[in-house]
Amino acid sequence: MKNALVFQSDFGIADGAVSAMYGVAYSVDNTLQLFDLTHEIPQYNIWEASYRLIQTVVYWPKDTVFVSVVDPGVGSHRKSIAVKTAKGQYIITPDNGTLTHIKRMCGIVEAREIDETINRLPNSGASYTFHGRDIYAYTGARLASGVITFEQVGPEIAVEEVVELPVVESRKENDMVTGTIDVLDVRFGSLWTNIGRELFTSLGINYGDRVEVSIKNDTREVYRNIMIYAKSFADVHVGETLVYVNSLDNLAVAINQGSFSKAYNIQTGTNWRISIRKAPRIVYE
């Protein structure tokens, strides 16, 4: 039985790049099942590619093969690798930090550098700018279809050598938890943080409590307000803000039926810091 082959890239679908990768995969085995994770990663945004993988990979069956191509260093000396996750999926990608979240949050049990003398689309040797088609899609299809085993991808490399992007850990300080805004829930504009639910609830905060949220970037505090810690969007009125637990069991901030990111011009990355604490009690005389 063939394994699923899932593609992710920053190519978009306005031209033929994604279709070319499909064509390569089907030329290896026209019975493969091909799927898309997304092709709307912002151009060159390795961090977001990493996050979308951890958002998705662990929910696919063992032996599913993922091809992720966000590769601003294409044609350089960065490695092309394949890894096996702790849950048994495979990911084929440039070794440029795309595997940061998978390595940290899921685990990688084995890594191999792709042997391009074997695992490269025939007659593509003069091209150095479309490794997504010529190396990653081709190798992914060969692995998913059983033409090659994982061991035949290429020589083993130490898992510790797989490149990671810089990460700022979430932490608890007295009555407050702090972290970073890792990524947006793109279509709806919610802010997804790296603050885990258990770290947050260690403050003694329960659903329905009010919390104070502060958001800063490198230069200033962009936002500070009080909102409800809600179980779901239905717990607040349309247009109200809320803190909730997202699908990765981390804290998120949103506007019910609105875009928090657009409303307050908030972006993502390790330079965007968020702090949350139980709202202080205000007593009026």
Side-chain angles (χ1 to χ4, degrees):
M1 181 178 178
K2 306 299 191 301
N3 298 307
L5 181 60
V6 185
F7 289 98
Q8 169 176 276
S9 76
D10 59 351
F11 297 162
I13 54 172
D15 66 11
V18 172
S19 185
M21 291 197 298
Y22 290 171
V24 167
Y26 280 132
S27 72
V28 171
D29 186 335
N30 61 14
T31 67
L32 279 172
Q33 296 186 75
L34 306 185
F35 301 90
D36 294 314
L37 194 163
T38 180
H39 295 290
E40 300 302 325
I41 300 292
Q43 294 96 319
Y44 320 120
N45 194 326
I46 298 168
W47 176 269
E48 183 154 335
S50 174
Y51 205 96
R52 297 307 175 198
L53 286 175
I54 193 61
Q55 184 182 0
T56 307
V57 167
V58 296
Y59 298 101
W60 282 75
K62 177 183 175 183
D63 295 325
T64 299
V65 178
F66 289 80
V67 170
S68 179
V69 192
V70 177
D71 194 13
V74 62
S76 69
H77 295 296
R78 62 95 186 95
K79 294 176 181 176
S80 296
I81 63 172
V83 302
K84 183 177 182 179
T85 74
K87 292 183 176 290
Q89 301 91 357
Y90 298 101
I91 306 171
I92 294 173
T93 185
D95 186 22
N96 59 9
T98 297
L99 295 166
T100 299
H101 290 88
I102 289 289
K103 185 177 177 182
R104 294 171 58 84
M105 299 170 66
C106 171
I108 294 171
V109 296
E110 191 175 351
R112 293 184 175 272
E113 183 174 3
I114 297 174
D115 182 350
E116 297 179 17
T117 64
I118 301 171
N119 295 302
R120 185 182 177 106
L121 183 67
N123 302 315
S124 66
S127 173
Y128 294 95
T129 60
F130 200 174
H131 287 178
R133 176 195 65 195
D134 299 336
I135 298 172
Y136 304 135
Y138 184 68
T139 304
R142 283 159 60 83
L143 181 60
S145 64
V147 172
I148 60 171
T149 65
F150 183 61
E151 291 71 23
Q152 291 173 309
V153 165
E156 187 171 6
I157 60 174
V159 170
E160 294 75 19
E161 295 179 6
V162 173
V163 173
E164 294 181 65
L165 299 171
V167 172
V168 176
E169 299 285 0
S170 60
R171 65 187 186 278
K172 177 181 176 182
E173 296 179 347
N174 300 319
D175 66 341
M176 181 181 296
V177 291
T178 63
T180 56
I181 300 171
D182 274 1
V183 76
L184 299 180
D185 185 353
V186 176
R187 188 166 178 83
F188 301 104
S190 304
L191 315 179
W192 283 21
T193 80
N194 69 336
I195 300 171
R197 174 182 53 81
E198 291 186 359
L199 181 66
F200 173 69
T201 57
S202 70
L203 297 176
I205 296 173
N206 300 303
Y207 289 123
D209 288 346
R210 293 188 175 274
V211 297
E212 183 183 67
V213 175
S214 170
I215 299 172
K216 301 177 181 179
N217 58 23
D218 286 337
T219 60
R220 64 189 179 91
E221 183 175 63
V222 177
Y223 178 89
R224 181 185 290 268
N225 213 335
I226 292 173
M227 60 187 74
I228 291 175
Y229 172 45
K231 184 178 292 185
S232 72
F233 287 75
D235 293 340
V236 301
H237 296 296
V238 173
E240 278 193 293
T241 56
L242 68 150
V243 171
Y244 68 99
V245 178
N246 68 16
S247 59
L248 293 181
D249 209 30
N250 288 338
L251 270 288
V253 180
I255 298 174
N256 187 11
Q257 297 187 33
S259 171
F260 200 103
S261 173
K262 289 181 179 178
Y264 299 102
N265 195 27
I266 293 171
Q267 304 302 315
T268 64
T270 55
N271 63 315
W272 284 87
R273 309 295 177 89
I274 182 168
S275 302
I276 307 176
R277 64 171 179 161
K278 194 166 187 176
R281 184 182 178 189
I282 301 174
V283 178
Y284 295 96
E285 295 184 352

